[in-house]
């Protein structure tokens, strides 16, 4: 399935977004939304299509969409369907499986503390924009800690997305614990969107609104309790997979791809498999990295070719056929078309303007 003209990710790993779309989230975050909208009297497939989210993407672990799109989609559905508790309802239909490869590592942890540490460390695999971390109890109670759900970005998470995210965290903790886990209270950073009784029924505890952060207040001893079905060997394998297949925030791959292309352009094939081999990555793994960073191999290659062509045209008097070869284009005509697209003029005119 090819990439759409608007840049949203489709299901083929060889065709990813063509421009920077900001923070991303796995499309699986919307898993269950289509049937939920249908049950509420709407048209789930049409709603997803309106926001250019392929309906099948939500069932594919590797598909990602812009976080803003997911947030606007939930807010629109809640408003149009007059369903103020949409985020909570969707959370009721979801479980750890929406976290993709992170789910195995979390579910196989031996203790709740290990599971929460793993979620905190690797939640960027689900979305680089989101975070889960243990914090001091916002009420200052002894023997209580907070599990804070929030954003790594400066942007505020929309209310329905907050309800979905904190609601899913609550459900996952309960599923791992195989029952109630002693939740003291839930804090939400927005006013109640639905009757307060709906929130207290969902969380099974008091819910406080208009607080600085979305937090679950839990017993401190929760960290030491065992996870149902924990498996030390499987957990180790799952964590090793996450470490080897997903770069942590701060270890961006796009600059490394740009550097590899800049060094090899014109001397070796400008192909994703060749660059992946230089970076000791599988091509599909490399493409997943770039998708999370909001770009593609093709977009980076085009940028490197453009910068190299501009330098050669404006700072040297090399023949155009040689310039084409040095930017990795087989023919001078291909260079002419590319330069027109990049700079709005043919190569000789770009060179003339620079006075080369």
């Amino acid at each position: 399935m090819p990439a759409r003209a608007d840049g949203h990710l489709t299901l083929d790993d060889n065709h990813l977004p063509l421009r920077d779309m900001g923070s991303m989230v796995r499309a699986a975050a919307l898993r269950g939304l289509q049937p939920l909208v249908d049950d509420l009297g709407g048209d789930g497939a049409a709603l997803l299509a309106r926001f250019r989210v392929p309906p099948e993407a939500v069932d594919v672990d590797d598909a990602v969409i812009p976080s803003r799109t997911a947030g606007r989609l939930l807010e629109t559905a809640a408003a149009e369907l007059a369903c103020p508790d949409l985020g909570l309802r969707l959370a009721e239909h979801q479980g750890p499986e929406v976290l993709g490869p992170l789910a195995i590592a979390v579910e196989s942890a031996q203790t709740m503390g290990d599971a929460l540490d793993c979620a905190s460390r690797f939640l960027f695999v689900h979305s680089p924009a989101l975070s889960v971390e243990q914090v001091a109890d916002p009420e200052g109670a002894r023997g209580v800690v907070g599990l804070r759900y929030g954003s790594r970005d400066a942007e505020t998470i929309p209310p329905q997305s907050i309800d979905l995210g904190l609601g899913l965290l609550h459900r996952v903790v309960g599923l791992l614990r195989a029952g109630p886990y002693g939740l003291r209270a839930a804090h939400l950073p927005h006013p109640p969107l639905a009757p307060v009784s709906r929130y207290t029924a969902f969380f099974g505890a008091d819910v406080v609104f208009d607080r600085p952060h979305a937090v679950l207040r839990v017993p401190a001893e929760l960290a030491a309790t065992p996870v149902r079905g924990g498996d030390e060997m499987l957990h180790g394998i799952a964590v090793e997979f996450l470490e080897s297949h997903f770069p942590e925030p701060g270890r961006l791959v796009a600059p490394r791809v740009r550097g590899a292309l800049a060094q090899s352009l014109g001397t070796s094939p400008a192909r994703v498999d060749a660059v992946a081999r230089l970076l000791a990555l599988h091509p599909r793994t490399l493409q997943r990295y770039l998708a999370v960073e909001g770009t593609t191999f093709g977009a980076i290659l085009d940028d490197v070719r453009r910068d190299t062509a501009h330098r050669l045209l404006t700072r040297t008097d090399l023949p155009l056929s040689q310039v084409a070869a040095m930017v990795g284009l087989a023919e001078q005509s291909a260079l002419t078309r590319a330069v027109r697209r990049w700079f709005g003029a043919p190569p000789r005119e770009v060179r003339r303007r620079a006075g080369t």
Side-chain angles (χ1 to χ4, degrees):
M1 189 179 210
R4 304 177 66 96
D6 65 324
H8 285 254
L9 179 70
T10 60
L11 303 185
D12 184 345
D13 276 349
N14 293 313
H15 299 82
L16 301 172
L18 296 180
R19 57 185 172 82
D20 186 356
M21 299 177 294
S23 62
M24 310 294 285
V25 65
R26 288 180 181 269
L30 300 177
R31 194 166 292 171
L33 180 62
Q34 182 175 339
L36 175 58
V37 170
D38 292 342
D39 290 344
L40 292 170
D43 187 333
L47 178 67
L48 292 173
R50 194 194 320 171
F51 285 85
R52 297 182 174 86
V53 177
E56 61 271 31
V58 299
D59 295 317
V60 178
D61 285 341
D62 283 344
V64 294
I65 59 175
S67 298
R68 289 183 180 180
T69 296
R72 288 198 297 263
L73 206 158
L74 291 176
E75 296 296 326
T76 299
E80 293 183 353
L81 297 169
C83 182
D85 63 338
L86 182 79
L88 298 179
R89 293 195 188 206
L90 185 55
E92 289 173 333
H93 287 78
Q94 294 184 349
E97 69 281 350
V98 303
L99 300 176
L102 175 56
I104 299 175
V106 169
E107 292 178 303
S108 60
Q110 290 190 289
T111 68
M112 289 298 302
D114 292 338
L116 293 170
D117 287 345
C118 188
S120 177
R121 179 183 175 189
F122 291 108
L123 189 61
F124 72 88
V125 174
H126 180 65
S127 172
L130 300 177
S131 66
V132 171
E133 57 183 334
Q134 182 174 306
V135 297
D137 177 38
E139 301 294 341
R142 294 182 60 184
V144 179
V145 297
L147 302 180
R148 184 168 69 193
Y149 171 82
S151 172
R152 296 180 185 272
D153 298 339
E155 296 181 14
T156 301
I157 304 177
Q160 292 294 341
S161 297
I162 284 284
D163 284 3
L164 170 60
L166 194 68
L168 179 59
L169 177 60
H170 168 67
R171 275 186 47 79
V172 169
V173 172
L175 291 170
L176 296 178
R177 184 66 181 83
Y181 59 92
L183 179 64
R184 299 292 192 263
H187 286 190
L188 288 168
H190 57 71
L193 308 178
V196 174
S197 59
R198 172 68 174 110
Y199 285 92
T200 56
F202 178 91
F203 287 102
D206 290 338
V207 180
V208 185
F209 300 90
D210 294 313
R211 300 307 300 263
H213 304 286
V215 177
L216 298 178
R217 300 181 58 233
V218 305
E221 63 266 21
L222 176 66
T225 59
V227 171
R228 180 184 61 177
D231 185 318
E232 183 177 6
M233 181 177 295
L234 178 59
H235 181 67
I237 294 172
V239 169
E240 183 178 352
F241 175 84
L242 292 171
E243 289 175 337
S244 62
H245 284 71
F246 298 93
E248 295 186 29
R251 292 178 54 206
L252 296 179
V253 169
R256 296 167 61 195
V257 171
R258 174 180 289 274
L261 285 171
Q263 292 178 11
S264 62
L265 196 64
T267 61
S268 61
R271 299 196 311 264
V272 65
D273 58 335
V275 173
R277 190 160 50 249
L278 286 173
L279 301 182
L281 296 171
H282 189 281
R284 292 175 70 85
T285 300
L286 173 60
Q287 291 178 15
R288 282 196 297 268
Y289 285 179
L290 295 177
V292 170
E293 294 173 24
T295 188
T296 71
F297 180 83
I300 296 173
L301 174 59
D302 194 61
D303 284 346
V304 172
R305 280 178 167 161
R306 180 194 62 209
D307 294 346
T308 303
H310 186 269
R311 175 174 56 82
L312 295 175
L313 289 173
T314 60
R315 299 183 186 180
T316 77
D317 58 357
L318 292 172
L320 296 183
S321 59
Q322 190 171 346
V323 173
M326 293 179 69
V327 299
L329 297 174
E331 299 178 355
Q332 184 175 323
S333 59
L335 175 69
T336 299
R337 291 192 298 271
V339 170
R340 283 185 178 276
R341 174 168 57 84
W342 292 327
F343 310 119
R348 298 184 190 282
E349 177 64 16
V350 172
R351 176 165 277 175
R352 186 192 66 78
R353 291 174 184 174
T356 303

